[in-house]
Amino acid sequence: MNNQVLIKDEHMFLSEGIQEFGYLLITDTEFNLIAGSENCDEWLCEDFSDCLGLNLWKILTDYFPNYVASINKAVHQVLDDINERVLMEVFINEVSYYLNIYLLNDLIYLEFEKKFEDSNVFFPKFEIVDKLLSKNKGNIWQAACSYITKISGFDRIRVFQFVEGGNGLIIAESIDNNELEGILGCYYPDMNIFKLAKNIHQVNVHRYAAQIDGPTIRIISNPKYEPNLSQTNIRMVSPIHAAYMLKDGVNSNLSVALQIDGKLWGFIFCQSQEAKKINLLKREALVYFIQMAVNRYAEEQKNYEKEFHDDIRNFELQLKEKLVLKNNLAESLRVLEKELCYYAKADSMVIFINGRMYAYNIVIGEQKILEIIALLKSECKEQYYADHEFIMKYGEQLEINAERFVGLAGLHVEMDESCTILWFRKEKEFHRKWVEKPVRRIGMNLPNEIFTHEEHPYLDIWIQKTVGTSEPWGEDEIYFIKRLRELILQSANNFSQEIDKLNKEVGDLNRALDNYANTVSHDLKNPLSAINLSTQMLLQRPDMKEELRNRMLKNTKDAVEVIGELLRSVHEFSKVKSYEYKMEPVYVDEFLSQIVEFSQIRYQAEHAEVTYGTILPVYGEKSIVYQLFQNLTGNAIKYSAKGDSPKVHFDSKIKHEFVEYTIADNGIGIAKEELSMIFDSFKRLSNAGNFEGTGLGLSIVKRIVDRLGMQIKIESELGKGTTIHLLFPNTK
């Protein structure tokens, strides 16, 4: 053939021609034939290259006289609106064709496609499609895959979604041929093949190849022109795409771009192992149905976002209500600590306000939190932070291992009350299956990732294992953290600084007075019991042996000293508005045995077996550390004293940045459902009716724990005993 040029678009990696079931004529706007498919000579009864330059209307008049008027009308309709595509049905040599007419780059395209006999009688019914999508809320793509399989006869349908870094994920799949591989949940790396697919689908939302290994009908063109086949439905798949699909066992493919809010979100790939002929109208109907699914999915996502933002607004109202009622940011946040964790999708959290720390669901020291905050301020200029690899990056520097958390998010609000909130996520081991080698990811050589190659007949399977990270912080969690910061700032501005300050002082003093009133009355009982019992014995037994008499006198003297220390603390407190505890090393071994002896006397439990492990010093204020051990020791002895073999054991050890004390007894225990209420004032346990008490002991313990910046954990089983864990900040 003379003057023929194979049309290629290297940028688009387009095929050099069209599929065998199609024919193509291309003219300029003067209706002169400038290009076409070489198989058109089947119609024109002459070599097609000899027809180049002829007038379109002359050719149509000579060979298709019945369609000159209708084609002329369609062509001028397209010329009037360059975005218009006109579809009509024509018969040529007793064969039915679909004719697509459109304008591209000032060239008129007449695209003929043979009409096939449909082997699959099903055709999309849009009222059924609408019901199907409505019924499958939250499962749109899997329902769409199943329905496309039914109405199209394709062997395999896949939904491919673009995810982070340009990678792809198969999120839905339907397979009707056991010989084709299923890869639901598998990932594709950011490959050139998908970049090419993006380029192609930007200009044509769907592409169809009836037989990938079929012949390519070449385009013959006037050398002056470079026709572009990018919008040609019957264009043959490019060699690079053909090789890729044949390798995957596919010989027929319909791919449809999924666009949401004007952005390419992913693709649907409809594939068959053998050649698959589907008429144009059915393909158009499939594309329309898929667009319905896209719209429904996008609507679902918007509804989810609306529900999420409504949920956040409800939380904001709760927080505002608490701030109005309490006029105290710390208390308001603590009341809603579970919700704060829930919306940030965190396992635990810490609230740090004006030098006071409140931990939720995590054991961590105040000094360690201060180190984290200082690190964040130095590393991050923003007022919020989120990193799912925090411990991997900074754990060694902070001397924190992955046992407690690995991912961290936080926000800082600088105002009258300096407020920092940190959220923590635990480690989650990730496994990802790639169906092509993720060259870029492997090349990063990350220390916490391992890649192994898996043998497969034709797929290049790689298994990725990632450790040392948490679930990444998502857009929703970041949005919540930002909104929380704005809300705290807004609420702070609604109150007078002076009123805040006065209310805080009044609240602190009231709480302190309440604490001391309850504490003094409660904690005088042990030494007074010791004095009372010793005095009774001295009066009733004048002939008492000297050794026992001296012991009774010593008990009385020690008890008086304890009372004196308590009264000294009350006196010091009465002289200042806000009592400052003197924090220092406290040697527990100096007074623990005395507390045990007082408690045994008070609860008539001299027969109780008390054992000691390591007794380490702690950091605190001596008088209230004494009170803390007095209350807990008294409870341990009291509630085990009536048993057959009462036992109490004390031990301590270094744990992370804490000194951890355990006090274990084999007493009556605490019911599981009552554990959450044990620190309530005047709360008495249901099984404690036969024991003396006011229900204030553990309430006082909790106040002491909070004041010393400690943490406490109670484990108990009804009828088997209780173990108290005390974590004192270790300031070695």
Side-chain angles (χ1 to χ4, degrees):
M1 298 180 182
N2 300 324
N3 300 323
Q4 67 182 46
V5 176
L6 304 184
I7 303 304
K8 298 179 182 179
D9 186 335
E10 293 181 357
H11 173 69
M12 298 293 292
F13 280 77
L14 299 180
S15 165
E16 63 185 18
I18 63 173
Q19 300 179 66
E20 63 176 336
F21 59 84
Y23 301 82
L24 184 64
L25 295 175
I26 305 174
T27 79
D28 59 21
T29 52
E30 300 297 323
F31 309 116
N32 297 313
L33 193 63
I34 59 97
S37 57
E38 62 179 350
N39 59 352
C40 287
D41 56 15
E42 297 173 9
W43 292 343
L44 307 179
C45 302
E46 54 184 305
D47 193 315
F48 182 75
S49 59
D50 295 335
C51 298
L52 292 176
L54 294 180
N55 184 270
L56 172 66
W57 307 119
K58 181 181 186 309
I59 294 174
L60 294 180
T61 301
D62 290 346
Y63 296 102
F64 318 125
N66 295 335
Y67 297 102
V68 174
S70 54
I71 292 176
N72 185 293
K73 181 179 179 181
V75 166
H76 283 86
Q77 186 174 336
V78 167
L79 288 171
D80 290 339
D81 184 352
I82 60 174
N83 296 315
E84 184 73 61
R85 269 182 178 259
V86 176
L87 177 64
M88 54 194 300
E89 190 172 348
V90 298
F91 287 87
I92 302 173
N93 299 334
E94 299 182 350
V95 177
S96 181
Y97 293 86
Y98 294 110
L99 171 58
N100 232 321
I101 303 174
Y102 57 92
L103 186 70
L104 179 63
N105 297 335
D106 292 327
L107 296 179
I108 302 167
Y109 289 70
L110 289 84
E111 181 182 327
F112 297 84
E113 178 180 329
K114 282 183 183 177
K115 187 176 181 181
F116 307 123
E117 182 178 345
D118 195 342
S119 59
N120 193 308
V121 297
F122 291 103
F123 196 86
K125 295 182 178 179
F126 297 114
E127 64 276 11
I128 294 177
V129 168
D130 188 62
K131 290 180 181 178
L132 175 75
L133 297 176
S134 298
K135 183 180 178 182
N136 286 276
K137 183 179 180 181
N139 197 31
I140 292 292
W141 295 120
Q142 192 56 51
C145 286
S146 300
Y147 191 67
I148 292 171
T149 300
K150 176 181 177 181
I151 61 178
S152 69
F154 277 110
D155 294 338
R156 180 175 64 196
I157 315 297
R158 284 176 177 165
V159 178
F160 171 103
Q161 179 187 358
F162 285 106
V163 290
E164 79 287 343
N167 299 320
L169 171 64
I170 303 301
I171 64 168
E173 190 174 59
S174 175
I175 301 177
D176 200 30
N177 182 338
N178 293 332
E179 294 184 22
L180 289 179
E181 186 85 7
I183 56 170
L184 181 64
C186 292
Y187 287 80
Y188 282 93
D190 183 19
M191 298 159 43
N192 285 335
I193 194 76
F194 293 115
K195 292 178 182 176
L196 299 175
K198 283 182 179 180
N199 288 336
I200 291 170
H201 285 81
Q202 280 179 350
V203 293
N204 200 344
V205 72
H206 64 279
R207 294 292 303 125
Y208 170 63
Q211 184 178 356
I212 290 168
D213 64 358
T216 298
I217 308 302
R218 295 179 298 175
I219 303 300
I220 299 172
S221 171
N222 186 318
K224 295 180 181 180
Y225 295 90
E226 293 185 2
N228 186 334
L229 301 185
S230 62
Q231 295 193 23
T232 303
N233 290 329
I234 57 173
R235 187 185 76 215
M236 187 58 171
V237 65
S238 67
I240 188 172
H241 285 97
Y244 187 83
M245 284 187 279
L246 290 170
K247 175 187 169 185
D248 198 20
V250 172
N251 200 19
S252 186
N253 180 75
L254 170 65
S255 58
V256 182
L258 308 176
Q259 294 188 342
I260 297 179
D261 294 331
K263 296 180 180 179
L264 184 62
W265 179 88
F267 298 103
I268 279 190
F269 298 118
C270 310
Q271 302 169 334
S272 281
Q273 191 176 37
E274 304 296 336
K276 180 72 180 174
K277 294 181 177 179
I278 297 185
N279 281 318
L280 176 62
L281 284 183
K282 191 170 211 178
R283 298 201 311 269
E284 295 282 357
L286 281 172
V287 171
Y288 185 77
F289 158 57
I290 291 169
Q291 188 56 51
M292 289 177 67
V294 170
N295 293 340
R296 188 60 61 88
Y297 176 79
E299 182 182 335
E300 276 190 9
Q301 293 303 109
K302 288 179 180 177
N303 286 338
Y304 166 78
E305 290 178 10
K306 181 179 181 300
E307 290 173 5
F308 172 76
H309 287 98
D310 287 346
D311 213 12
I312 296 298
R313 278 192 287 273
N314 289 334
F315 169 78
E316 290 174 357
L317 290 174
Q318 289 183 62
L319 181 54
K320 286 179 180 178
E321 179 185 8
K322 296 292 186 294
L323 287 167
V324 169
L325 293 175
K326 297 179 179 296
N327 196 16
N328 184 293
L329 179 60
E331 289 188 15
S332 301
L333 292 173
R334 290 185 70 189
V335 169
L336 297 171
E337 55 192 10
K338 289 183 180 179
E339 289 83 353
L340 288 167
C341 257
Y342 169 78
Y343 289 113
K345 295 181 183 175
D347 298 303
S348 53
M349 66 177 292
V350 162
I351 302 169
F352 197 84
I353 299 182
N354 283 351
R356 295 291 300 275
M357 186 185 89
Y358 309 93
Y360 172 70
N361 217 23
I362 189 171
V363 175
I364 192 165
E366 181 177 311
Q367 184 59 39
K368 197 61 64 178
I369 291 298
L370 289 172
E371 291 174 17
I372 293 173
I373 292 172
L375 175 66
L376 295 183
K377 287 182 178 178
S378 66
E379 294 291 326
C380 181
K381 295 180 180 179
E382 300 287 343
Q383 297 298 310
Y384 64 92
Y385 178 90
D387 188 350
H388 63 291
E389 298 177 337
F390 181 80
I391 292 300
M392 192 171 73
K393 295 175 181 175
Y394 305 110
E396 185 176 351
Q397 175 182 341
L398 293 166
E399 296 183 347
I400 303 176
N401 57 33
E403 177 187 344
R404 287 181 278 185
F405 69 93
V406 295
L408 180 142
L411 69 84
H412 179 72
V413 184
E414 195 62 56
M415 50 185 186
D416 293 336
E417 291 184 295
S418 179
C419 172
T420 299
I421 303 177
L422 301 176
W423 289 269
F424 309 99
R425 284 183 177 174
K426 293 184 177 179
E427 181 177 9
K428 181 177 180 181
E429 188 173 295
F430 291 92
H431 295 266
R432 186 172 281 192
K433 185 174 182 180
W434 299 85
V435 291
E436 292 287 344
K437 185 176 182 179
V439 177
R440 185 182 302 174
R441 187 77 183 192
I442 293 175
M444 295 170 69
N445 291 318
L446 297 176
N448 63 322
E449 289 189 346
I450 298 173
F451 288 87
T452 54
H453 188 253
E454 186 177 286
E455 293 299 323
H456 193 278
Y458 53 88
L459 293 176
D460 192 13
I461 301 294
W462 290 79
I463 306 299
Q464 172 190 344
K465 177 183 175 182
T466 305
V467 298
T469 73
S470 70
E471 187 78 37
W473 303 92
E475 292 181 3
D476 287 350
E477 297 95 83
I478 300 299
Y479 171 82
F480 169 71
I481 291 171
K482 290 180 179 179
R483 282 293 303 142
L484 180 60
R485 182 176 183 276
E486 293 172 8
L487 181 61
I488 291 172
L489 286 171
Q490 291 170 6
S491 300
N493 292 332
N494 291 336
F495 300 99
S496 163
Q497 294 181 6
E498 187 60 30
I499 291 176
D500 282 347
K501 182 179 178 182
L502 290 173
N503 283 345
K504 185 176 184 304
E505 287 182 4
V506 171
D508 287 345
L509 287 170
N510 284 340
R511 282 189 294 273
L513 286 168
D514 182 46
N515 183 16
Y516 265 87
N518 290 327
T519 300
V520 170
S521 63
H522 184 275
D523 291 344
L524 284 175
K525 290 181 180 179
N526 265 14
L528 286 173
S529 295
I531 293 171
N532 184 49
L533 181 61
S534 297
T535 303
Q536 285 181 358
M537 291 184 69
L538 289 169
L539 290 172
Q540 294 171 3
R541 298 173 58 183
D543 56 345
M544 182 185 300
K545 291 182 179 180
E546 186 175 354
E547 180 183 352
L548 181 58
R549 178 186 297 275
N550 290 337
R551 181 182 171 190
M552 294 297 102
L553 289 172
K554 185 178 184 303
N555 284 344
T556 302
K557 180 176 180 297
D558 289 344
V560 169
E561 288 179 356
V562 170
I563 293 172
E565 184 66 21
L566 283 172
L567 292 175
R568 183 195 64 78
S569 296
V570 173
H571 177 66
E572 291 297 324
F573 172 79
S574 67
K575 294 191 297 182
V576 294
K577 288 200 301 182
S578 179
Y579 183 67
E580 295 294 334
Y581 290 108
K582 181 182 179 182
M583 306 296 280
E584 60 186 359
V586 178
Y587 297 92
V588 180
D589 58 341
E590 293 180 350
F591 55 74
L592 185 57
S593 59
Q594 180 194 73
I595 290 175
V596 169
E597 188 174 350
F598 282 177
S599 298
Q600 286 178 313
I601 291 172
R602 179 179 177 186
Y603 300 113
Q604 300 176 6
E606 289 84 354
H607 62 297
E609 179 183 348
V610 180
T611 57
Y612 303 89
T614 302
I615 305 299
L616 296 171
V618 298
Y619 190 74
E621 201 281 337
K622 185 175 180 180
S623 66
I624 61 173
V625 171
Y626 184 102
Q627 289 175 288
L628 178 65
F629 277 95
Q630 177 176 281
N631 276 281
L632 294 175
T633 301
N635 279 353
I637 291 175
K638 176 171 65 173
Y639 291 116
S640 58
K642 296 182 181 180
D644 294 334
S645 304
K647 295 180 181 179
V648 178
H649 180 70
F650 296 87
D651 202 1
S652 64
K653 64 180 180 181
I654 302 296
K655 182 178 181 181
H656 303 306
E657 62 272 19
F658 298 96
V659 174
E660 181 183 28
Y661 262 84
T662 55
I663 305 172
D665 67 66
N666 63 346
I668 62 174
I670 304 169
K672 184 177 180 181
E673 60 272 16
E674 293 185 300
L675 277 172
S676 62
M677 303 179 290
I678 56 176
F679 295 121
D680 292 351
S681 296
F682 305 106
K683 173 64 182 179
R684 301 222 62 208
L685 304 178
S686 58
N687 59 341
N690 295 326
F691 297 82
E692 68 167 270
T694 61
L696 278 173
L698 286 178
S699 174
I700 292 170
V701 164
K702 187 62 170 65
R703 292 179 183 182
I704 293 173
V705 164
D706 288 345
R707 185 64 186 88
L708 292 177
M710 296 170 51
Q711 297 179 41
I712 184 171
K713 181 181 178 183
I714 299 182
E715 298 173 345
S716 190
E717 188 172 351
L718 203 59
K720 293 188 177 181
T722 300
T723 300
I724 307 288
H725 299 270
L726 295 170
L727 288 103
F728 293 84
N730 184 12
T731 59
K732 62 177 181 177

